[in-house]
């Protein structure tokens, strides 16, 4: 699902304040627009998702850690030094051969920042928030994810009391990979549940 298909969502108070501060810093010549874009991109694509990927890769190689992550994700990620705002009530759920999970926040844009970084624009926009609940298979297909009819699709609604993130299925062909190599395979979108991880092809 491309971001340009969605309408602009109502900004939260925090987003309004951030945009006002950004505009002021640009006006004073303190901050350049490309610097802001670079910082946002870094937190969206790298720093945040790297935390979640690290926790999931650990769970893939350490069955005991996996149990702790699924039982209490907030405590389990804290073992890896991961914590912060919007991460007090994390819940990790596992995608399996029988069920595929996808997360949404139908009321606003609650999101597990410590493990996934900044939420993508489409996650906050009304079309995704409403459609993924009503027609999850169609929305997933727009991301290139076709879930077979034999597999159940569960939509998890994050809110102020609980923020979900997904443990994607470990890709075929990754059996001999190190924990760090596994972490590099895991994407933000796979932890939201809108995509799956492709098989690993070794050269």
């Amino acid at each position: 699902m491309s971001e340009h298909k969605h309408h602009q969502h109502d900004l939260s108070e925090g987003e309004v304040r951030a945009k006002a501060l950004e505009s002021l810093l640009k006006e004073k010549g303190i901050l350049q627009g490309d610097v802001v874009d670079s910082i946002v991109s870094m937190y969206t694509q790298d720093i945040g998702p790297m935390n979640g990927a690290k926790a999931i890769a650990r769970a893939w190689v350490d069955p005991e850690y996996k149990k702790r992550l699924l039982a209490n994700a907030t405590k389990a990620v804290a073992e890896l030094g991961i914590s912060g705002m919007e991460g007090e009530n994390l819940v990790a759920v596992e995608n399996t051969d029988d069920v595929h999970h996808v997360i949404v926040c139908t009321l606003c844009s609650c999101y597990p920042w410590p493990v996934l970084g900044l939420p993508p624009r489409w996650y906050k926009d009304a079309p995704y928030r409403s459609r993924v609940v009503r027609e999850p298979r169609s929305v997933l297909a727009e991301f290139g994810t076709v879930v077979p009819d034999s597999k159940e699709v569960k939509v998890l609604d994050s809110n102020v009391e609980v923020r979900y993130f997904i443990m994607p299925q470990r890709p075929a062909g990754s059996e001999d990979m190190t924990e760090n190599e596994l972490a590099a395979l895991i994407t933000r979108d796979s932890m939201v549940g809108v995509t799956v991880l492709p098989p690993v092809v070794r050269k």
Side-chain angles (χ1 to χ4, degrees):
M1 178 180 296
S2 60
E3 295 186 0
H4 70 273
K5 292 183 180 178
H6 302 296
H7 302 295
Q8 178 67 32
H9 70 291
D10 293 332
L11 297 177
S12 68
E13 180 182 352
E15 288 171 320
V16 171
R17 293 173 65 186
K19 285 185 174 295
L21 178 58
E22 177 185 338
S23 296
L24 179 62
L25 292 174
K26 287 180 180 177
E27 182 181 324
K28 299 294 184 182
I30 298 172
L31 193 61
Q32 301 298 317
D34 57 347
V35 174
V36 175
D37 292 341
S38 175
I39 293 171
V40 170
S41 176
M42 179 173 62
Y43 273 90
T44 301
Q45 299 296 336
D46 299 321
I47 294 176
M50 282 175 58
N51 284 339
K54 182 166 67 171
I56 289 167
R58 175 67 56 85
W60 282 348
V61 301
D62 184 342
E64 291 303 315
Y65 181 79
K66 178 180 177 179
K67 289 179 183 178
R68 296 197 299 277
L69 182 67
L70 294 175
N72 189 323
T74 303
K75 287 185 177 180
V77 300
E79 294 178 30
L80 305 179
I82 301 168
S83 62
M85 185 179 65
E86 311 294 334
E88 297 85 359
N89 298 294
L90 295 176
V91 173
V93 294
E94 182 182 14
N95 280 346
T96 69
D97 290 338
D98 299 317
V99 62
H100 180 92
H101 298 89
V102 59
I103 62 172
V104 66
C105 176
T106 55
L107 294 178
C108 50
S109 57
C110 294
Y111 193 76
W113 287 46
V115 288
L116 297 188
L118 299 176
R121 181 177 298 170
W122 51 259
Y123 182 86
K124 299 181 285 184
D125 284 349
Y128 174 80
R129 288 160 44 201
S130 61
R131 289 187 58 227
V132 77
V133 174
R134 292 184 286 106
E135 46 181 350
R137 292 178 187 274
S138 296
V139 172
L140 290 173
E142 292 173 21
F143 283 92
T145 303
V146 178
V147 180
D149 292 339
S150 59
K151 181 179 287 194
E152 181 182 6
V153 175
K154 287 186 177 180
V155 180
L156 303 174
D157 195 355
S158 288
N159 54 58
V160 295
E161 296 180 351
V162 58
R163 287 173 171 80
Y164 296 98
F165 72 106
I166 309 299
M167 182 190 305
Q169 289 185 274
R170 182 169 176 170
S174 66
E175 294 78 12
D176 297 326
M177 297 180 73
T178 67
E179 188 173 328
N180 286 339
E181 289 173 331
L182 290 170
L185 299 176
I186 301 164
T187 64
R188 175 200 68 194
D189 288 358
S190 71
M191 292 184 283
V192 176
V194 293
T195 63
V196 296
L197 300 176
V200 175
V201 179
R202 295 278 193 171
K203 294 183 179 179

